[in-house]
Amino acid sequence: VSREALSTCGFNASGDLVAVGCAKLGQLLVWNWQSETYVFKQQGHLYDVLSVDFSRDGSMLATGSADGKVKLWNVRTGQCFVTFADHRMPVHGVRFLPSSHAVASASMDGTVRAFDLVRYRNFRTFQGEEPTQFTCLAIDPSGDIVAAGSKDTFKVHLWSMKTGRLLDVFAGHQGPVSCIAFDSNGTSLATSSWDKTVQLWDTYTGKGRKESLTHYHDVLCLAYRPDGKQICTSSLDGQLSFWDSVNYEIQGTIDGRLDIAGGRLTTDARSISNSSSGKCFTTICYSADGDNLYAAGSSKYVCIYETTEFVLLSRIQMSHNISLDGMVDVLNSRFMTAAGPIDPLAEKESTASETSDGKIGLLTPGGEVLPGTGAVRRPVAKTNAICLSPTGDTWAAATAEGVHIYSKDESLLFDPFDLQEDVTPAAVEVSIGKEEYAKALLLSLHLKDAKIFKSVI
């Protein structure tokens, strides 16, 4: 049934179906033991989701994970309908082509792959002139050019989607390339790096670099406004800088350190006022109309800003799970010792004997995992990637707990009120059959299902 130990199982009321769950692999299987066939089979990502992207119509969501897999999900049902396992290392970037008939992914294994969503196969594999690790990906609005930035060679590679040929290599950064993005016309490519600069390249005429935007700290990510007239960059000091993409002048800045700050790690040895860890945005994205900016990072919050007045509109807490590290706002100094925090040490000592390979999990005095000891740290509350649907009514965030999807469309939500065991769609049909229309109408209102309500009316 599974390669790992099963966590739970259960039978349905009639006894013909058995559901089996595997917590380690995130698997859920529903098996019909009479016909010996699968009724339902789903598996999530094994490790953190590092990148997300919506299709143009907002009906599909692509995710890339540290387990090296690319999965495509149906946004309305929440089910995965295809998994690509061609990469051998973490996938840091996934992007749909404008036609939504293919999806591209960039991985640390040195390849950028394009997958056909009709035949579900890998039809293009792009590689650089030398082995490199790709950490970011962008596709121009026409879908003809694929660009990827590298972590170790500090270069940006451009390929042709039609021919698979390497078109150009931009070499101008002095540090790892953290993010790349095309403008709305596809004639300009912006690249951010840890060398404290944002470089703008001319991809239409092939003249190379045309402008450099200097920052005071490392640039972690950037985003073009949908109309292409503004660029937003996020730096290591927690600043959001808004640039005019025509005159390359600064339009405004936002100091987001206090906005994103929240939650203390158990390994924090400094006070919250002196600690700078996590007080920066690692992923940003504009809304479909360009009026709002969504920003997130190594924190439990997602901040929403207004891009004209540069003010904070809302701050959304992505999780209330206190088992995650970084959820508690105040730490108790009694649990901090010279050997590190008490809780993680006690937890590892209690679970060391449960490891399958017989290794003893050990942590350093700072609370970090010692390689090869089998120790597992508590997952940290953070948001790895954020993406808004082109339709403007849905946005997704890849967190430590998985991918959270928020929507304005109420039909995506199942929100009944005063729901009891006898309030079911079958009970509505029985009431209609008995001509008890008032009861059927009341049950349909409790269920809050538009189709059932219309059938009763």
Side-chain angles (χ1 to χ4, degrees), residues 123 150 169:
F123 71 94
S150 64
V169 178

Side-chain angles (χ1 to χ4, degrees), residues 359-389:
K359 294 181 179 179
I360 299 176
L362 296 177
L363 297 176
T364 65
E368 298 298 328
V369 175
L370 283 175
T373 63
V376 180
R377 271 195 60 179
R378 292 168 57 190
V380 179
K382 61 180 179 179
T383 301
N384 295 318
I386 193 168
C387 180
L388 273 78
S389 172

Side-chain angles (χ1 to χ4, degrees), residues 306-364:
E306 205 275 333
T307 58
T308 303
E309 301 295 334
F310 310 118
V311 295
L312 178 67
L313 297 178
S314 178
R315 192 171 71 158
I316 302 173
Q317 184 170 340
M318 300 302 296
S319 175
H320 296 272
N321 185 1
I322 60 174
S323 66
L324 297 176
D325 200 1
M327 293 296 298
V328 181
D329 294 326
V330 179
L331 293 179
N332 193 331
S333 60
R334 294 184 303 168
F335 299 132
M336 182 63 69
T337 66
I342 294 178
D343 288 348
L345 289 176
E347 181 181 354
K348 299 313 162 192
E349 289 174 358
S350 63
T351 59
S353 59
E354 299 176 4
T355 57
S356 59
D357 53 3
K359 294 181 179 179
I360 299 176
L362 296 177
L363 297 176
T364 65

Side-chain angles (χ1 to χ4, degrees), residues 67-258:
D67 60 6
K69 296 180 180 179
V70 176
K71 288 179 176 287
L72 279 87
W73 308 79
N74 187 307
V75 175
R76 184 165 293 274
T77 63
Q79 295 185 6
C80 173
F81 60 90
V82 65
T83 300
F84 300 108
D86 297 78
H87 288 293
R88 300 186 303 274
M89 292 186 71
V91 178
H92 280 264
V94 289
R95 291 292 181 270
F96 276 98
L97 268 68
S99 62
S100 296
H101 295 317
V103 63
S105 60
S107 172
M108 297 276 284
D109 61 4
T111 62
V112 175
R113 299 178 182 270
F115 301 97
D116 185 3
L117 300 186
V118 178
R119 298 178 179 88
Y120 299 122
R121 62 184 180 90
N122 176 206
F123 71 94
R124 283 281 187 274
T125 300
F126 309 101
Q127 291 180 323
E129 297 176 340
E130 54 185 339
T132 184
Q133 295 178 322
F134 295 115
T135 56
C136 49
L137 178 70
I139 299 177
D140 78 320
S142 65
D144 295 333
I145 300 177
V146 180
S150 64
K151 178 181 180 180
D152 44 5
T153 62
F154 314 152
K155 297 179 181 179
V156 179
H157 297 70
L158 280 78
W159 299 273
S160 170
M161 177 61 74
K162 294 181 179 179
T163 64
R165 184 171 60 90
L166 181 65
L167 300 177
D168 206 344
V169 178
F170 296 150
H173 285 293
Q174 303 299 319
V177 180
S178 57
C179 187
I180 59 176
F182 281 98
D183 66 350
S184 57
N185 299 322
T187 58
S188 179
L189 176 68
T191 62
S192 64
S193 172
W194 294 1
D195 62 3
K196 305 178 183 180
T197 64
V198 171
Q199 309 283 356
L200 290 107
W201 311 83
D202 190 342
T203 59
Y204 184 73
T205 61
K207 294 182 179 180
R209 181 171 55 190
K210 60 180 181 180
E211 192 65 37
S212 179
L213 308 179
T214 305
H215 296 68
Y216 293 106
H217 291 80
D218 300 1
V219 184
L220 304 179
C221 58
L222 63 85
Y224 265 103
R225 201 168 65 184
D227 59 5
K229 296 181 180 179
Q230 187 182 76
I231 305 175
C232 180
T233 61
S234 172
S235 54
L236 192 60
D237 59 347
Q239 295 280 341
L240 292 174
S241 303
F242 297 85
W243 303 79
D244 184 354
S245 60
V246 179
N247 301 320
Y248 307 113
E249 297 178 350
I250 192 74
Q251 294 179 334
T253 60
I254 295 176
D255 188 353
R257 287 177 294 181
L258 296 179

Side-chain angles (χ1 to χ4, degrees), residues 392-456:
D393 58 355
T394 309
W395 62 279
T399 68
E401 294 181 311
V403 179
H404 294 187
I405 297 179
Y406 293 79
S407 176
K408 297 179 182 177
D409 186 3
E410 294 183 356
S411 63
L412 293 177
L413 303 177
F414 179 69
D415 186 23
F417 66 96
D418 197 16
L419 192 60
Q420 301 176 1
E421 293 183 359
D422 57 344
V423 181
T424 61
V428 176
E429 296 179 359
V430 171
S431 299
I432 295 176
K434 295 180 179 180
E435 297 184 355
E436 298 176 354
Y437 301 114
K439 182 179 179 181
L441 180 61
L442 183 61
L443 292 174
S444 65
L445 290 175
H446 280 294
L447 287 172
K448 278 192 176 180
D449 191 305
K451 291 183 178 180
I452 297 178
F453 181 76
K454 289 180 180 179
S455 65
V456 174

Side-chain angles (χ1 to χ4, degrees), residues 270-330:
R270 298 181 179 180
S271 64
I272 190 171
S273 58
N274 295 329
S275 176
S276 60
S277 62
K279 293 184 179 180
C280 57
F281 299 104
T282 58
T283 174
I284 56 176
C285 184
Y286 277 95
S287 61
D289 54 9
D291 293 337
N292 300 327
L293 180 79
Y294 291 67
S298 299
S299 171
K300 59 182 178 180
Y301 295 112
V302 171
C303 300
I304 304 176
Y305 295 96
E306 205 275 333
T307 58
T308 303
E309 301 295 334
F310 310 118
V311 295
L312 178 67
L313 297 178
S314 178
R315 192 171 71 158
I316 302 173
Q317 184 170 340
M318 300 302 296
S319 175
H320 296 272
N321 185 1
I322 60 174
S323 66
L324 297 176
D325 200 1
M327 293 296 298
V328 181
D329 294 326
V330 179

